[in-house]
Amino acid sequence: MIKLKRTTSKNQDFLTLVEQLDVYLTITDGEEHSFYDQFNKLDNINHVVLAYDEGVAVGSGAIKEFDADSVEVKRMYTSPKGRGQGVATLVLKELETWAQEFGYKKTILETGVRQFEAVGFYKKNGYETIPNYGQYKGIENSLCFEKTLI
């Protein structure tokens, strides 16, 4: 059974999953990895959700404030051991719930066009494509999404 835990970006299990995510992104982002990597630092991330399967961290995600109404979803990852179990959906729903508890009205995020699984996942979970925001404006390999929280 998958168990969720709210924590911070200082959690060692989160840091381990982020390392695995970064290895994956280095491959999929290719030459553009250093551009994207600069926006994925953990300094401003204080709200993390971890998913555990039999005591082992198998998924992660985080939120950070984007503006007064929105949080940005960051560092979503499911390890190979956790895939196919709905881990990512559980983590994302918990992040959305947490954002609502803080009074935010929507979540936004960016993912790469080459991350086909992620694009499909976000669409499946009610996210709609929006114009690229902030640092992603004009970046052809970025896709930005948003979801209004109820």
Side-chain angles (χ1 to χ4, degrees), residues 14 32 59 61 63 95 97 99 105-106 116 123 128-129 132 147:
F14 176 65
E32 298 169 331
I63 53 173
L95 291 170
T97 298
K105 295 176 176 60
K106 64 183 176 178
F116 305 111
K123 287 181 178 180
E128 297 181 5
T129 306
N132 288 5
K147 182 176 182 180

Side-chain angles (χ1 to χ4, degrees), residues 20-138:
Q20 294 172 24
L21 171 60
D22 285 340
V23 168
Y24 168 76
L25 291 175
T26 299
I27 296 165
T28 60
D29 290 343
E31 294 177 5
E32 298 169 331
H33 181 69
S34 60
F35 169 78
Y36 290 110
D37 192 48
Q38 67 182 319
F39 305 117
N40 288 321
K41 304 301 181 205
L42 303 180
D43 306 358
N44 297 322
I45 296 178
N46 298 312
H47 303 94
V48 170
V49 172
L50 292 171
Y52 290 88
D53 184 11
E54 297 180 8
V56 177
V58 294
S60 66
I63 53 173
K64 72 175 192 174
E65 183 174 278
F66 182 75
D67 61 29
D69 292 327
S70 311
V71 292
E72 186 176 22
V73 175
K74 304 292 288 179
R75 313 313 280 163
M76 286 289 297
Y77 180 71
T78 303
S79 71
K81 181 182 188 294
R83 293 182 188 154
Q85 301 177 60
V87 169
T89 298
L90 291 170
V91 169
L92 185 59
K93 297 294 180 202
E94 185 68 12
L95 291 170
E96 292 168 356
T97 298
W98 208 356
Q100 285 179 295
E101 289 171 9
F102 287 133
Y104 293 102
K105 295 176 176 60
K106 64 183 176 178
T107 52
I108 63 168
L109 62 93
E110 179 276 341
T111 193
V113 295
R114 287 171 267 191
Q115 294 161 349
F116 305 111
E117 300 92 350
V119 171
F121 168 74
Y122 291 122
K123 287 181 178 180
K124 181 180 90 172
N125 281 280
Y127 282 75
E128 297 181 5
T129 306
I130 59 171
N132 288 5
Y133 59 84
Q135 64 268 23
Y136 306 111
K137 287 181 183 174

